[in-house]
Amino acid sequence: MSRKQTRLVSLLLCGLLLSVSCGSSDGETTSAVTDDTTSTETTEPASTLPDKDYGGIDVNMLVRTEFKYEFGAEESGDIVDDAVYARNVAIEDKFNIKLNIVDVSGSWATQSTFLTAISGDVMSGSGEYDLFASAANYMLPTVPEGYYMDLYDVPYIDLSQDWWSQGYVDNMTLDGSLYLASGSASLNLLENMCVIFFNKEMITDYGLEEPYDLVTSGSWTIDKLIEQGKAVREDLNGDGKYNEEDRLGLFTCNNMMIAQTISFGLPFTDRDADGYPVISYMSERMTTAFDKVKGYIAEGLLYNYTTSTDTLDLNGSMQQIFQNGNVLYMAQLLSSAQVMRSMETDFGIIPMPKLDDTQDRYYTCVLENMTVLGIPTSVKDPELSGLVLEMLAEEGYKSVVPTYFEKALGAKYVRDEQSNEMLDLILDTVWFDFAYLNSVTIDSINHLFNSSLNGSLVSNFESRRPVFEEKLAGLIEGYKELKQ
């Protein structure tokens, strides 16, 4: 989401939910959070979409079973579920339709199930599904297959609106076309933002600089994080090694190491004169970052947790270890805040650090299994699909996202006002890269940093550069053929 979106959400919340802070890209903030939900009355902006009567017809949306809650929640008393439910009812009432949320398995391991459902519908021309939502990492590689409509051509979809992630739109549009989009229609964009959790009690006990102050001053860097971690690090079991059984400074994992690369502002691609992505991965700054991280791992100052190949299991283990109270900083998904709400020791949330003081801003990575949305080319009524998809995003922006981000996380899960300010900053600095989101196609370029830690990043990159460039060229050619 753009800064404009963050500000509008904040303004809406002044009357609807909470008074919120406004974060800027350099970490400065302009106001504090209060919990006054009754003193101000405002009118929620009307929908930009026209009222239409479709006579109660069914609109079928295909989603991942594992993330059905994003779109198919029922009234439950949970404020986020209720907001999703209310959004769907508002859409049904506005267009006189029945929104059916159809779910099939769509995890990384069962991606073929979801992709078969989409491709089968398109190839048969049945038009069973009007919309779909699934994981970017395995949906994007299939764009050249021609399964998805160009969203710029769909009536009523306005990709310039703040309920569509402008960072995504800018970086994923190719040849003036965008076939899958992300934004406020999906909670997954928020949940998959990569952040740093810190143990507030340890900061106080060891007399360390306040992390919030470091962020707002622009001096929150990887070196500063490691400096503080070194001050608390202790080999508690006396085995001469540093792992999850000891007191740790920085606790991370492979996915978060990828996110850290992004947070250093290191692009995988740039655009050439014709607007097409070209590999720009290797640079002096990338080498500097790699040498720094590799050195910190070797010194036991950065602990990369790799005990499980199952991401959910690994995340759960990390969350539990952090809650045990012997980790100063943990890199994890924002969704971990909900899991750790019972933690006795207070924790705070801040963005991932910069590489150094010369970096222009903070950059927040969103893991590439985030939800993207689209319309199959077999759809019977593109106009109706466009109306529903646009309103899913618009109403998500006005009600679901504020409820999740400001009320659920802010008031229920996050322990202090400054963390709310940091959440604004984190949301405001979300950043995407074409090759990163298309890593499945481009020979897993996102894992190059991690896979090189026992050797040389430069030599590893140079040996694989021809493959990266060939895969990217093939992907771009596939996009070009869609325009013919």
Side-chain angles (χ1 to χ4, degrees):
M1 298 179 195
S2 66
R3 177 175 302 156
K4 181 181 176 184
Q5 180 175 4
T6 305
R7 300 290 163 81
L8 182 52
V9 168
S10 297
L11 290 173
L12 288 171
L13 288 168
C14 286
L16 299 174
L17 296 171
L18 301 172
S19 296
V20 302
S21 61
C22 299
S24 67
S25 60
D26 60 4
E28 294 178 354
T29 57
T30 58
S31 64
V33 177
T34 66
D35 194 23
D36 180 4
T37 60
T38 60
S39 61
T40 306
E41 294 184 3
T42 94
T43 301
E44 182 176 334
S47 173
T48 61
L49 299 170
D51 293 329
K52 284 183 174 285
D53 189 338
Y54 282 91
I57 65 172
D58 289 345
V59 173
N60 298 320
M61 182 175 186
L62 184 68
V63 305
R64 293 178 283 176
T65 301
E66 297 80 2
F67 295 91
K68 185 178 179 180
Y69 64 86
E70 292 188 278
F71 306 101
E74 298 292 335
E75 285 186 298
S76 66
D78 177 89
I79 57 172
V80 179
D81 284 349
D82 290 351
V84 171
Y85 176 81
R87 175 191 64 183
N88 292 358
V89 170
I91 294 171
E92 291 178 326
D93 291 345
K94 188 172 182 65
F95 305 129
N96 189 16
I97 62 170
K98 171 59 178 175
L99 184 59
N100 295 320
I101 306 301
V102 182
D103 65 293
V104 299
S105 185
S107 67
W108 177 253
T110 61
Q111 60 182 277
S112 61
T113 303
F114 195 96
L115 291 172
T116 297
I118 288 290
S119 62
D121 183 56
V122 173
M123 298 302 289
S124 68
S126 65
E128 180 179 356
Y129 303 116
D130 301 282
L131 303 163
F132 63 85
S134 196
N137 55 359
Y138 65 72
M139 296 299 291
L140 285 167
T142 67
V143 166
E145 300 297 326
Y147 299 151
Y148 321 126
M149 293 193 69
D150 181 353
L151 296 175
Y152 283 106
D153 294 336
V154 177
Y156 296 108
I157 291 183
D158 185 354
L159 294 167
S160 69
Q161 294 285 357
D162 286 316
W163 39 82
W164 297 111
S165 169
Q166 294 307 298
Y168 180 96
V169 170
D170 290 345
N171 286 284
M172 302 307 292
T173 294
L174 206 61
D175 265 343
S177 295
L178 187 71
Y179 301 92
L180 300 167
S182 185
S184 300
S186 164
L187 289 173
N188 199 245
L189 180 70
L190 302 179
E191 294 176 325
N192 272 340
M193 293 191 301
C194 302
V195 300
I196 296 287
F197 293 88
F198 69 92
N199 184 313
K200 295 181 67 178
E201 185 175 289
M202 290 177 70
I203 292 291
T204 300
D205 290 348
Y206 285 85
L208 302 176
E209 291 179 80
E210 176 59 57
Y212 297 132
D213 294 341
L214 292 171
V215 172
T216 55
S217 69
S219 56
W220 174 234
T221 66
I222 186 67
D223 287 341
K224 179 59 69 173
L225 185 158
I226 295 297
E227 174 191 313
Q228 292 197 342
K230 190 174 183 178
V232 308
R233 184 184 62 166
E234 185 176 350
D235 180 12
L236 296 178
N237 60 11
D239 64 358
K241 299 180 295 185
Y242 291 98
N243 55 37
E244 64 271 21
E245 297 179 359
D246 301 310
R247 183 171 296 117
L248 301 173
L250 174 57
F251 191 34
T252 187
C253 62
N254 280 338
N255 277 343
M256 296 302 113
M257 292 277 280
I258 295 170
Q260 188 67 75
T261 307
I262 298 294
S263 78
F264 289 158
L266 299 169
F268 293 7
T269 53
D270 286 324
R271 297 286 177 125
D272 64 17
D274 296 320
Y276 294 109
V278 292
I279 299 295
S280 60
Y281 186 94
M282 189 52 60
S283 65
E284 181 179 347
R285 187 173 175 83
M286 179 67 83
T287 303
T288 298
F290 179 79
D291 291 343
K292 188 183 292 288
V293 170
K294 184 177 180 179
Y296 284 148
I297 292 175
E299 294 178 54
L301 296 169
L302 184 160
Y303 182 54
N304 190 26
Y305 191 59
T306 57
T307 59
S308 174
T309 57
D310 183 274
T311 299
L312 293 178
D313 286 346
L314 186 144
N315 289 351
S317 295
M318 288 184 67
Q319 292 155 2
Q320 184 56 57
I321 291 167
F322 181 78
Q323 290 183 83
N324 291 340
N326 278 322
V327 173
L328 180 61
Y329 289 112
M330 178 182 69
Q332 254 301 335
L333 299 176
L334 179 62
S335 58
S336 292
Q338 302 174 57
V339 178
M340 301 189 302
R341 62 186 180 268
S342 62
M343 182 174 175
E344 292 184 6
T345 302
D346 280 345
F347 63 84
I349 301 173
I350 53 178
M352 284 197 162
K354 300 177 182 180
L355 178 60
D356 53 40
D357 288 330
T358 68
Q359 189 169 314
D360 62 337
R361 46 163 281 192
Y362 298 102
Y363 291 86
T364 295
C365 175
V366 182
L367 289 192
E368 71 270 23
N369 69 333
M370 69 183 197
T371 298
V372 290
L373 301 97
I375 299 172
T377 51
S378 54
V379 70
K380 296 175 182 177
D381 189 342
E383 179 179 285
L384 174 57
S385 292
L387 279 168
V388 175
L389 183 52
E390 185 74 1
M391 193 165 177
L392 278 168
E394 181 181 1
E395 288 301 310
Y397 166 68
K398 292 177 179 178
S399 59
V400 180
V401 170
T403 300
Y404 175 88
F405 191 63
E406 300 295 346
K407 191 171 184 180
L409 280 176
K412 187 175 181 182
Y413 300 138
V414 176
R415 311 300 182 87
D416 59 80
E417 294 177 358
Q418 288 171 299
S419 276
N420 283 278
E421 296 173 4
M422 294 296 107
L423 290 175
D424 271 341
L425 172 61
I426 290 162
L427 180 59
D428 202 27
T429 55
V430 166
W431 182 81
F432 296 96
D433 178 274
F434 188 87
Y436 168 71
L437 286 182
N438 280 289
S439 289
V440 170
T441 299
I442 310 174
D443 202 36
S444 299
I445 190 173
N446 59 329
H447 289 285
L448 184 66
F449 193 98
N450 291 346
S451 64
S452 302
L453 286 170
N454 291 324
S456 167
L457 179 63
V458 173
S459 62
N460 198 5
F461 172 76
E462 290 301 332
S463 68
R464 295 175 63 185
R465 181 204 290 265
V467 176
F468 292 149
E469 293 178 344
E470 178 187 0
K471 296 289 188 181
L472 177 58
L475 180 62
I476 293 172
E477 186 60 32
Y479 273 79
K480 289 179 179 180
E481 290 175 359
L482 294 175
K483 304 286 285 186
Q484 297 175 359

